[in-house]
């Protein structure tokens, strides 16, 4: 029997509700990283080719620069030079079968966990909710592949789009809940895949994976 929980404006449906945490910060548990896709050497090399200075700041530079706040894919990619766009066009457009939604909370989305501790998909939209008001933009069966989240280090903070395909539902709830006005957030940004999580979408989402030495990587 599927249980439903309304928390931080999002309804999560799961067969196993436990250990929910939503204090305005994202904490990705070790369990949520199991079975994570590991980019091939060729893919990793390509990703390095399109990374610009300040894309992943750490230490005293964390929370600074043009990449400290994700406010939509087009704006996020503006600092990259045209040479990168010409060399790696697949990273500069959302692939076919995927889409990004910028919306207000509460979202009014019913999510169901696809596997225990790994991935969520849309099962229905709450009647009259913010998602339903978008018409057919979000549909049952759509898989959440990315979500904006806020992370703080000391007095500094950043909002980024983080890959969600391998996140547990409680981590997704915490991520959505962290988009609060106190961090300058007036919305939450969700990225979905329709029908299937293709190789093209998987490669695209690798771009948002933090390096091993960055505070976002746990």
């Amino acid at each position: 029997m599927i249980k439903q929980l309304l928390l931080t404006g999002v309804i999560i449906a799961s067969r196993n509700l436990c250990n929910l945490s939503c204090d305005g910060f994202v904490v990705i548990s070790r369990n949520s990283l199991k079975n994570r896709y590991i980019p091939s050497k060729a893919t990793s090399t390509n990703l390095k080719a399109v990374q610009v200075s300040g894309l992943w700041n750490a230490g005293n530079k964390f929370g600074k620069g043009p990449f400290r706040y994700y406010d939509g894919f087009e704006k996020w990619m503006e600092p990259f030079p045209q040479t990168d766009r010409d060399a790696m066009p697949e990273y500069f457009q959302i692939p076919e079968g995927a889409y990004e939604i910028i919306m207000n909370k509460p979202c009014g989305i019913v999510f169901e966990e696809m596997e225990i501790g790994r991935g969520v998909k849309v099962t229905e939209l709450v009647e009259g909710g913010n998602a339903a008001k978008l018409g057919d933009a979000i549909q049952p069966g759509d898989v959440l592949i990315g979500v904006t989240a806020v992370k703080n280090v000391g007095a500094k903070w950043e909002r980024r789009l983080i890959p969600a395909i391998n996140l547990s539902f409680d981590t997704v709830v915490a991520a959505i809940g962290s988009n609060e006005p106190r961090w300058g957030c007036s919305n939450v940004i969700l990225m979905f895949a329709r029908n299937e999580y293709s190789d093209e979408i998987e490669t695209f989402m690798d771009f948002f994976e933090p390096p091993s030495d960055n505070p976002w990587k746990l």
Side-chain angles (χ1 to χ4, degrees):
M1 177 174 145
I2 296 177
K3 299 179 181 178
Q4 295 182 355
L5 176 69
L6 179 60
L7 183 65
T8 64
V10 182
I11 296 178
I12 299 294
S14 175
R15 293 176 177 83
N16 182 23
L17 297 176
C18 60
N19 299 327
L20 288 175
S21 173
C22 188
D23 58 1
F25 306 96
V26 175
V27 178
I28 302 177
S29 67
R30 294 183 182 276
N31 289 336
S32 70
L33 299 178
K34 290 182 179 179
N35 301 316
R36 181 179 289 273
Y37 170 73
I38 305 299
S40 67
K41 183 176 181 180
T43 300
S44 299
T45 301
N46 291 340
L47 288 171
K48 290 179 181 179
V50 297
Q51 290 185 354
V52 298
S53 177
L55 179 60
W56 293 103
N57 281 333
N60 292 332
K61 294 183 178 180
F62 183 85
K64 298 179 180 180
F67 297 103
R68 68 180 297 269
Y69 189 88
Y70 188 94
D71 197 25
F73 181 71
E74 294 297 328
K75 291 182 180 179
W76 184 258
M77 303 304 286
E78 285 178 355
F80 290 85
Q82 188 61 44
T83 52
D84 284 347
R85 299 172 186 273
D86 295 338
M88 301 293 293
E90 62 268 32
Y91 292 112
F92 291 89
Q93 58 183 359
I94 297 175
E96 183 177 357
Y99 65 94
E100 182 176 82
I101 290 287
I102 301 176
M103 62 183 305
N104 296 325
K105 297 191 302 179
C107 299
I109 301 173
V110 180
F111 284 119
E112 179 178 332
E113 198 169 58
M114 296 188 296
E115 300 177 21
I116 295 178
R118 186 170 181 262
V120 298
K121 66 179 179 180
V122 178
T123 58
E124 63 179 288
L125 306 181
V126 177
E127 185 177 357
N130 285 326
K133 291 176 182 178
L134 297 174
D136 295 330
I138 303 173
Q139 298 180 13
D142 290 353
V143 176
L144 185 70
I145 61 173
V147 55
T148 50
V150 174
K151 184 176 183 67
N152 82 308
V153 176
K156 301 176 182 178
W157 60 273
E158 293 182 350
R159 180 168 100 153
R160 288 181 175 267
L161 184 83
I162 59 174
I165 192 65
N166 288 313
L167 299 183
S168 64
F169 78 88
D170 52 323
T171 305
V172 169
V173 170
I176 294 173
S178 69
N179 293 267
E180 297 181 330
R182 59 173 169 162
W183 308 117
C185 305
S186 61
N187 55 43
V188 61
I189 302 179
L190 308 174
M191 195 173 286
F192 293 94
R194 182 155 295 165
N195 300 324
E196 65 174 345
Y197 188 65
S198 65
D199 291 342
E200 183 182 6
I201 295 175
E202 188 172 56
T203 298
F204 173 79
M205 293 309 298
D206 283 338
F207 181 79
F208 298 96
E209 286 284 354
S212 58
D213 60 347
N214 189 266
W216 282 94
K217 189 74 169 183
L218 298 179

